Amino acid sequence: MSDLSAATGVTDRPRGTARADAIDRFLAEQRPETPFLVMDLAQVRQRYRQLRTALPDARICYAVKANPTPEVVGELVAEGASFDVASPGEIELCLARGATPESISYGNTIKKRRDIALAHERGVRLFATDSAADLANIAEAAPGAQVFCRVLVDNSGSRTPFGRKFGCAPEQAAELLRRAAELGLDPCGVSFHIGSQQLDPAAWEHGVGAARRVFEDCAAHGVPLRLVNLGGGLPAGYTETAPPLAEYVEAIEKSLESNFAERPELLIEPGRFLVGDAGVLRSEVVLVTDSCDGQRRWVYLDIGRYNGLAETEGEAITYRLRTSRDGDEVGPVVLAGPTCDGDDVIYQRNSYQLPSTLRGGDTVDLLSAGAYTASYSSVGFNGFTPLPTYCVDGDRRA
Amino acid sequence: MSDLSAATGVTDRPRGTARADAIDRFLAEQRPETPFLVMDLAQVRQRYRQLRTALPDARICYAVKANPTPEVVGELVAEGASFDVASPGEIELCLARGATPESISYGNTIKKRRDIALAHERGVRLFATDSAADLANIAEAAPGAQVFCRVLVDNSGSRTPFGRKFGCAPEQAAELLRRAAELGLDPCGVSFHIGSQQLDPAAWEHGVGAARRVFEDCAAHGVPLRLVNLGGGLPAGYTETAPPLAEYVEAIEKSLESNFAERPELLIEPGRFLVGDAGVLRSEVVLVTDSCDGQRRWVYLDIGRYNGLAETEGEAITYRLRTSRDGDEVGPVVLAGPTCDGDDVIYQRNSYQLPSTLRGGDTVDLLSAGAYTASYSSVGFNGFTPLPTYCVDGDRRA
């Protein structure tokens, strides 16, 4: 598994081979029907501890949406993590795996009033908001709760930018937080998201700077804030080289120092960073065909955009690949999924090279595929079953 | 339900209100938790019979992928339909609902050898192909089977064009079919797909013309063909006006006449056409917010790209909407889904207008949503459950 270890650019120290071996061992010994995802819980744990050490005063809320496998959530509960949830379903999942209500942050700004009420009934006391309508619902359904307001920031350096769906301008955020105080809520701070798989550590300055402006505006109106929610954006190891965690932490620290005289409370919402590199998605080659125009071969896998690779839409996320023919001579390919859907093409613009000897029945592993794969999978498009997840633990040898 | 009846442009005769009433009655009386899809089986039946009458000598293979709800498949089995399947999962579904193996066409050109073997074991004898590798697998795993070869045709008039994933050039198709004969298979004909939701009836000429060239080439080499598979592409009623079925049939007939001296056997693979207009997707407004820049309101629904509206990717399919505030003054909106995903925006480029009075808790129905919705739904992205489907039957009053 040297590829995986070598190419994961975001760790600060070389990874032990024992952990990588756990997935390798599973792949060699268990051989379930493809496609499937294998997660190494030891790797998730190691990433959590690495971030814990790097940002000791930040509350780490795992973005459950990245990989809601119950074992992954349970592992992070055991580590003392907090959780960023998007829905009542994720709240129930966390509670079922032993998370306390106090460890849960309802981070979705889009929520039904009755879902807020359900969260409140379960004991959740921390909510994101970015609109007057949502704030009014929180005040009614979760009286007295803590709220942070999401500001819209530039996330152009991200592989999967957010567009304008979430967040408001800093002056609107300040207005909403002052309104929150009037409604009897506890306006605790500001959140932002500089975009998932953010390759530019300097991007956090956009968010921290915006947070400062909201802090100042609110303070001037007698509403002191205390929390800066740094959001997500820390990367996993795909084909591009991502800076190491230390560079992100340095940029965040620098930005906090230059914007805040007194250090605020910190919260961070890693998803991809904690689980991305901990997963390997094993697929099988269905067919290799010559293209109609004699250009690149087409390699069809039994995994595609509808059963786990949703993030290859627009070729945003480019997974590193490993095949059972590695070492043989390579040539350019188009990679596609198994459904009858013309959009179920994985990589066509990106020029992937795969062994010329590759044929039906060979395996293709997508490395660092632990985030945003299994839970994106369709229930049964084209009659293909959803992607199953298996968990191993490189620290606990069988 | 006058909106639905009035705006569905693809029927040749006005629809009875009794059928539309069945969905209306369900929505008024049952009120399950949103979002959900309701299918009217009477409408599916009516569409099947309409096509049956319009193309009496064509074998109608329902493209199961469009809506694999078991009741829908069962309804079409009862009508005597055949089935176009994409996977072993769809084969098992059809057989379980009473379809005979002879009524099944394995239409996916991308299939594992063991899936071909499984289909053959179940009695399936008709297979699509478009490559030498797949053909060799069919010859080995389904000896003696009938094969048709898919040619790549221009599908530019389609709302969801296929790109180059499927099909080969006519001369390659002829070569493959001749090879099929050598391998002991029965090379029966040619298929093509002019693209789903094809708004230009003349598009079929591209496919029928290509089929003729393959017929001629094969005949010249002593391999007579007999089947033209017209594929899918017949439309459902979205916001754009689609020509009535009669125009499609006229264009197809004209094309067959001009290309074939002797009328070939026909097969057609409608999916969207049979089930699209038979479904209503009910969603609830989660939140209405003013945009950051004071332009359009954002209306967030509890349905989005990840729990049923996958075909709104790139805003390809534009559903007609009906709200519980219809009649009130309208204004421009951006429509978005409920997840924390920035790409979960339904319509932003298209300028939808919705009532200014719309607020959280109101309903928004997406009309003609019976195709490619529930089965595309993710298993649980962001903790939201997959879209459930309910069936009613407008011909069988409760």
Side-chain angles (χ1 to χ4, degrees), chain A residues 48-231:
Chain A
Y48 177 81
R49 291 176 185 175
Q50 184 189 7
L51 189 57
R52 168 85 297 150
T53 305
L55 281 171
D57 65 337
R59 180 173 165 193
I60 302 175
C61 289
Y62 170 54
V64 176
K65 65 181 85 66
N67 188 325
T69 305
E71 290 85 348
V72 169
V73 172
E75 195 59 42
L76 289 166
V77 168
E79 289 293 306
S82 289
F83 298 91
D84 164 42
V85 304
S87 65
E90 289 188 352
I91 293 173
E92 302 297 358
L93 166 65
C94 291
L95 294 176
R97 301 305 293 200
T100 61
E102 298 75 35
S103 72
I104 294 174
S105 168
Y106 200 150
N108 195 344
T109 57
I110 307 157
K111 41 200 179 299
K112 296 181 181 176
R113 190 184 310 186
R114 63 176 176 276
D115 290 344
I116 298 169
L118 187 143
H120 187 253
E121 196 183 296
R122 293 283 187 277
V124 176
R125 294 292 179 265
L126 181 59
F127 295 84
T129 195
D130 67 357
S131 70
D134 178 60
L135 189 66
N137 284 341
I138 297 172
E140 268 184 48
Q146 300 165 53
V147 289
F148 55 86
C149 188
R150 180 163 171 172
V151 292
L152 179 63
V153 296
D154 177 16
N155 46 52
S156 51
S158 156
R159 297 291 301 177
T160 61
F162 274 106
R164 304 185 65 81
K165 186 177 176 190
F166 302 101
C168 58
E171 54 274 26
Q172 289 172 311
E175 202 181 307
L176 287 170
L177 288 164
R178 298 199 308 266
R179 176 84 188 123
E182 290 163 16
L183 290 169
L185 294 165
D186 173 8
C188 63
V190 179
S191 76
F192 56 84
H193 201 305
I194 42 62
S196 200
Q197 186 70 7
Q198 175 56 261
L199 299 176
D200 178 13
W204 268 263
E205 169 61 25
H206 300 309
V208 174
R212 174 184 47 99
R213 290 196 291 283
V214 182
F215 269 59
E216 286 171 354
D217 190 334
C218 282
H221 288 81
V223 176
L225 303 178
R226 60 187 185 274
L227 176 78
V228 173
N229 178 340
L230 301 162

Side-chain angles (χ1 to χ4, degrees), chain B residues 42-176:
Chain B
Q43 172 95 330
V44 175
R45 206 155 49 224
Q46 182 253 328
R47 275 298 165 83
Y48 177 81
R49 291 176 185 175
Q50 185 190 5
L51 189 57
R52 166 87 298 150
T53 305
L55 281 171
D57 64 337
R59 180 173 166 191
I60 302 174
C61 289
Y62 170 53
V64 176
K65 66 181 85 68
N67 188 324
T69 305
E71 290 85 347
V72 169
V73 172
E75 194 59 44
L76 288 166
V77 168
E79 289 292 306
S82 288
F83 298 91
D84 164 42
V85 304
S87 65
E90 290 189 351
I91 293 173
E92 302 297 359
L93 166 66
C94 291
L95 294 176
R97 301 304 294 200
T100 61
E102 299 74 34
S103 72
I104 294 174
S105 167
Y106 200 150
N108 194 345
T109 57
I110 308 157
K111 40 200 179 297
K112 295 180 181 177
R113 192 185 309 187
R114 62 177 177 277
D115 289 345
I116 298 169
L118 187 144
H120 187 252
E121 197 183 296
R122 292 283 187 277
V124 176
R125 294 293 179 266
L126 180 60
F127 295 83
T129 194
D130 66 359
S131 69
D134 179 60
L135 189 65
N137 285 340
I138 297 173
E140 268 184 49
Q146 299 166 54
V147 289
F148 56 86
C149 188
R150 180 163 170 172
V151 291
L152 179 64
V153 296
D154 177 17
N155 46 52
S156 51
S158 156
R159 295 293 300 178
T160 61
F162 275 106
R164 306 185 65 80
K165 185 177 175 188
F166 303 101
C168 58
E171 54 274 25
Q172 289 172 310
E175 202 180 308
L176 287 170

Side-chain angles (χ1 to χ4, degrees), chain B residues 54-370:
Chain B
L55 281 171
D57 64 337
R59 180 173 166 191
I60 302 174
C61 289
Y62 170 53
V64 176
K65 66 181 85 68
N67 188 324
T69 305
E71 290 85 347
V72 169
V73 172
E75 194 59 44
L76 288 166
V77 168
E79 289 292 306
S82 288
F83 298 91
D84 164 42
V85 304
S87 65
E90 290 189 351
I91 293 173
E92 302 297 359
L93 166 66
C94 291
L95 294 176
R97 301 304 294 200
T100 61
E102 299 74 34
S103 72
I104 294 174
S105 167
Y106 200 150
N108 194 345
T109 57
I110 308 157
K111 40 200 179 297
K112 295 180 181 177
R113 192 185 309 187
R114 62 177 177 277
D115 289 345
I116 298 169
L118 187 144
H120 187 252
E121 197 183 296
R122 292 283 187 277
V124 176
R125 294 293 179 266
L126 180 60
F127 295 83
T129 194
D130 66 359
S131 69
D134 179 60
L135 189 65
N137 285 340
I138 297 173
E140 268 184 49
Q146 299 166 54
V147 289
F148 56 86
C149 188
R150 180 163 170 172
V151 291
L152 179 64
V153 296
D154 177 17
N155 46 52
S156 51
S158 156
R159 295 293 300 178
T160 61
F162 275 106
R164 306 185 65 80
K165 185 177 175 188
F166 303 101
C168 58
E171 54 274 25
Q172 289 172 310
E175 202 180 308
L176 287 170
L177 288 165
R178 297 198 310 265
R179 175 86 187 120
E182 289 162 18
L183 291 168
L185 293 165
D186 173 8
C188 64
V190 179
S191 76
F192 56 84
H193 201 306
I194 43 61
S196 201
Q197 187 69 8
Q198 175 57 259
L199 299 176
D200 178 12
W204 269 264
E205 169 62 24
H206 301 307
V208 174
R212 173 185 46 101
R213 290 197 291 282
V214 182
F215 268 59
E216 286 171 355
D217 190 334
C218 282
H221 288 81
V223 177
L225 303 179
R226 59 187 186 275
L227 176 78
V228 172
N229 178 340
L230 301 163
L234 295 177
Y238 304 120
T239 57
E240 75 271 12
T241 303
L245 178 62
E247 282 187 30
Y248 289 90
V249 172
E250 194 188 323
I252 289 168
E253 291 293 357
K254 202 176 122 191
S255 179
L256 287 168
E257 274 165 38
S258 67
N259 282 287
F260 288 90
E262 191 184 348
R263 189 177 177 88
E265 291 177 21
L266 297 179
L267 190 154
I268 190 164
E269 296 167 338
R272 197 185 296 281
F273 177 78
L274 294 183
V275 295
D277 293 331
V280 173
L281 199 162
R282 168 147 288 188
S283 75
E284 185 181 302
V285 176
V286 177
L287 210 61
V288 180
T289 69
D290 293 321
S291 84
C292 206
D293 49 11
Q295 301 283 314
R296 287 180 286 178
R297 286 169 300 150
W298 280 63
V299 174
Y300 298 93
L301 303 179
D302 61 6
I303 187 82
R305 277 196 48 204
Y306 298 102
N307 59 342
L309 302 183
E311 286 211 310
T312 61
E313 178 184 336
E315 309 196 16
I317 294 295
T318 51
Y319 297 100
R320 287 169 298 123
L321 305 181
R322 176 179 68 177
T323 83
S324 53
R325 303 270 182 182
D326 280 1
D328 293 355
E329 198 188 342
V330 298
V333 298
V334 174
L335 266 180
T339 70
C340 289
D341 191 298
D343 286 333
D344 189 11
V345 174
I346 307 169
Y347 300 122
Q348 189 161 21
R349 273 200 337 265
N350 278 284
S351 49
Y352 271 79
Q353 304 261 341
L354 288 180
S356 309
T357 48
L358 210 64
R359 66 191 64 168
D362 289 341
T363 60
V364 173
D365 292 339
L366 294 97
L367 308 182
S368 297

